[in-house]
Amino acid sequence: MPESRIAPRIAGNVAFIVAAGLVGLAIGYFVDDSLGWAVFAVGLLLLLAHHLLQLYALGIWLERGDVVGEPRARGVWDELHALLHRSRREAATREAELARALTRWREAARALPDGVVILDGDRIEWCNDTAKLHLDIDPVGDAGNTITHLVRIPEFVQYLEGGDYAKPIELRSGDGRVLSVQIVPYGDAQRLVLSRDITRFEKLERMRREFVANVSHEMRTPLTVISGFLETLREDNEGDAEDRRRYLELMSEQARRMERLVADLLTLSTLESSPPPPLEEAIDMGALVERMGADARALSNGRHKIEVENASGIELLGSEKEITSALGNLVSNAIRYTPVGGTVRLRWHVAPEGAAFDVEDTGIGISPEHLPRLTERFYRVDRGRSRETGGTGLGLAIVKHALVRHGATLDVQSTPGQGSRFTARFAGPRVRI
Ligand code: ADP
């Protein structure tokens, strides 16, 4: 046990009283009784006055709540003051540490990408800035308010009041945002409301579902045709040889369609899963553009006028296979959507941003409302025409993907009935002029 510093001071006081008593006793014995008592009383009064004065000083110091200045006192009071002063300083330090920890915690919670609201019962105690954004709650102005008066979405109110918080719920806001909201109870009546923006995730999930549905649909049509003809052939053994030849022709046409679809799906999946195209490999664009011209002539088979303008000296760095696939799709579209007698013009040239490849046709054109959606998978302006010309609905999705991987953009200008111009614009470190 540490040595007490108060005890000797108390003992000093007791010694003073004993000394005063002894002096009074001696005076009473040798001089006069009354004088002895008087001396003893004066001694006690002096002691009392001293203690009252010290008590007064302590009271004033305590009232001031001053933790910095140390009070001046004597004897036992000096020790008491020192003890009180120390415990006050320790309490102040602890309080400051707690305040700092609370501030740090709040700053961390404020920086969270998810929304956090602390509820006491139904009342908002605190919320971070993300919760403000998600649930439109003001961290300062709305503190103390009932949350259901501010977040009035019926699903949320039902979830909060239902008390079953095992799973989060999804809320859709008016501006198209989708939130996942989870309530976590804690303490006596406290609850945490956590909100997360899952708009992107939800969109990806919807796209995935639509994609699977689209692929199934695209596959089912040729399969239905093939199995129908197979059935006919099986039942009609004696049939006309010409009919049988036609059925087989139609079946192989549908099989080719499925092949094209699978090939395009594989191209897309390779584009999605491959590492970025190399920055060290220069594509021989002169030869590639010439090849595009030759492919266009072969596809057109003399039905269109094909023009090629090929600037020399522009190098493109990246994957030759991907660029061939992207530009090849633009060329094949131009041929497929341009009636006989039309013109298709290919141009590889210097552009303000770097270099560009244009495919211009005098074909059927596209109405402006379709332009923003052209590169979506399976989006077609005219389903019948796309199918007739052997389209899979994936060509421009492949183009966009391959171009994005090369830091390039696709620009489309079109006038219905007059023609279209698709421009792949290359810029940045992938172009060398
Ligand atoms: P598809 O296999 O159907 O051609 P794409 O993804 O290549 O699919 O093109 C999407 C749609 O954009 C086409 O169905 C067509 O309606 C339209 N399109 C593409 N290129 C042209 C073009 N040069 N002229 C007119 N329409 C075009």
Side-chain angles (χ1 to χ4, degrees):
M1 215 171 89
E3 199 185 323
S4 167
R5 293 173 56 158
I6 297 267
R9 305 293 174 114
I10 298 282
N13 278 266
V14 174
F16 179 84
I17 295 168
V18 171
L22 285 176
V23 171
L25 209 63
I27 291 175
Y29 184 73
F30 291 112
V31 186
D32 177 52
D33 264 7
S34 317
L35 191 61
W37 279 114
V39 168
F40 181 55
V42 167
L44 287 185
L45 275 176
L46 280 175
L47 191 66
L48 189 63
H50 163 75
H51 284 305
L52 280 175
L53 265 174
Q54 300 297 329
L55 192 63
Y56 170 74
L58 177 67
I60 295 286
W61 180 71
L62 283 175
E63 264 176 8
R64 273 209 329 254
D66 186 2
V67 286
V68 184
E70 209 170 322
R72 303 222 152 264
R74 290 173 172 217
V76 69
W77 292 99
D78 185 34
E79 287 306 324
L80 276 177
H81 278 201
L83 281 175
L84 275 170
H85 185 63
R86 201 168 67 218
S87 71
R88 254 188 174 193
R89 237 186 16 222
E90 281 169 6
T93 313
R94 266 200 309 276
E95 206 175 292
E97 268 169 14
L98 274 175
R100 269 200 301 276
L102 192 63
T103 309
R104 273 202 304 274
W105 184 87
R106 289 205 162 159
E107 274 168 3
R110 189 166 290 136
L112 277 177
D114 291 349
V116 182
V117 185
I118 297 178
L119 292 183
D120 184 11
D122 282 352
R123 292 187 184 280
I124 299 168
E125 234 178 39
W126 181 85
C127 77
N128 68 357
D129 292 347
T130 318
K132 173 185 177 185
L133 203 73
H134 286 173
L135 302 169
D136 200 16
I137 299 173
D138 180 0
V140 182
D142 292 334
N145 281 337
T146 304
I147 191 162
T148 43
H149 291 171
L150 300 161
V151 185
R152 291 169 173 271
I153 308 166
E155 293 95 315
F156 176 76
V157 177
Q158 222 174 345
Y159 179 51
L160 184 86
E161 288 170 356
D164 178 8
Y165 306 136
K167 285 187 194 150
I169 54 160
E170 279 182 19
L171 299 181
R172 268 160 215 282
S173 61
D175 58 358
R177 203 201 301 260
V178 186
L179 295 176
S180 165
V181 174
Q182 167 97 61
I183 295 181
V184 184
Y186 72 100
D188 291 338
Q190 277 79 24
R191 284 178 281 194
L192 275 180
V193 181
L194 306 172
S195 60
R196 172 170 291 181
D197 190 336
I198 54 162
T199 317
R200 218 177 89 82
F201 172 76
E202 164 81 8
K203 189 177 164 208
L204 284 175
E205 186 52 26
R206 198 180 59 244
M207 279 167 68
R208 191 191 63 78
R209 279 198 305 269
E210 281 173 8
F211 182 67
V212 171
N214 275 326
V215 171
S216 315
H217 177 77
E218 296 285 334
M219 288 291 207
R220 203 178 53 198
T221 318
L223 275 174
T224 312
V225 175
I226 291 175
S227 66
F229 283 129
L230 277 175
E231 194 61 24
T232 314
L233 286 174
R234 201 164 57 93
E235 283 169 4
D236 182 20
N237 273 335
E238 316 290 305
D240 182 34
E242 180 56 27
D243 279 351
R244 293 166 70 87
R245 205 191 54 75
R246 203 163 50 84
Y247 293 159
L248 287 171
E249 184 50 45
L250 287 168
M251 277 161 56
S252 63
E253 193 184 297
Q254 294 302 323
R256 279 197 300 276
R257 186 172 151 196
M258 280 201 299
E259 255 170 28
R260 279 197 302 274
L261 183 64
V262 172
D264 277 359
L265 285 171
L266 280 175
T267 307
L268 262 181
S269 114
T270 313
L271 283 172
E272 275 174 350
S273 53
S274 306
L279 255 172
E280 322 65 52
E281 271 172 43
I283 305 168
D284 183 352
M285 284 302 286
L288 194 149
V289 173
E290 284 311 319
R291 257 194 339 264
M292 289 291 141
D295 288 354
R297 282 184 198 98
L299 263 174
S300 159
N301 203 11
R303 288 171 298 155
H304 308 90
K305 191 173 166 211
I306 311 289
E307 295 174 0
V308 180
E309 194 182 311
N310 196 354
S312 59
I314 316 171
E315 270 192 350
L316 188 62
L317 304 177
S319 154
E320 177 156 353
K321 196 169 156 216
E322 290 179 22
I323 294 297
T324 305
S325 170
L327 306 189
N329 268 304
L330 293 180
V331 171
S332 117
N333 279 354
I335 302 284
R336 286 168 44 230
Y337 296 106
T338 301
V340 178
T343 303
V344 172
R345 189 160 170 243
L346 317 185
R347 271 181 82 218
W348 171 239
H349 58 99
V350 176
E353 67 278 1
F357 181 80
D358 297 344
V359 182
E360 211 173 328
D361 64 53
T362 55
I364 58 171
I366 306 159
S367 304
E369 72 269 20
H370 296 291
L371 295 181
R373 300 195 59 190
L374 280 191
T375 55
E376 283 176 24
R377 289 159 195 208
F378 298 113
Y379 188 83
R380 287 127 158 165
V381 176
D382 179 346
R383 201 158 271 276
R385 176 148 194 150
S386 160
R387 201 155 288 159
E388 252 169 52
T389 57
T392 59
L394 294 172
L396 290 181
I398 293 174
V399 173
K400 182 171 176 203
H401 233 88
L403 291 185
V404 166
R405 282 166 57 80
H406 285 79
T409 55
L410 180 67
D411 180 25
V412 187
Q413 280 169 5
S414 190
T415 312
Q418 289 190 20
S420 316
R421 184 166 69 207
F422 286 73
T423 308
R425 297 186 187 282
F426 298 90
R430 292 195 178 268
V431 181
R432 274 206 218 131
I433 300 172

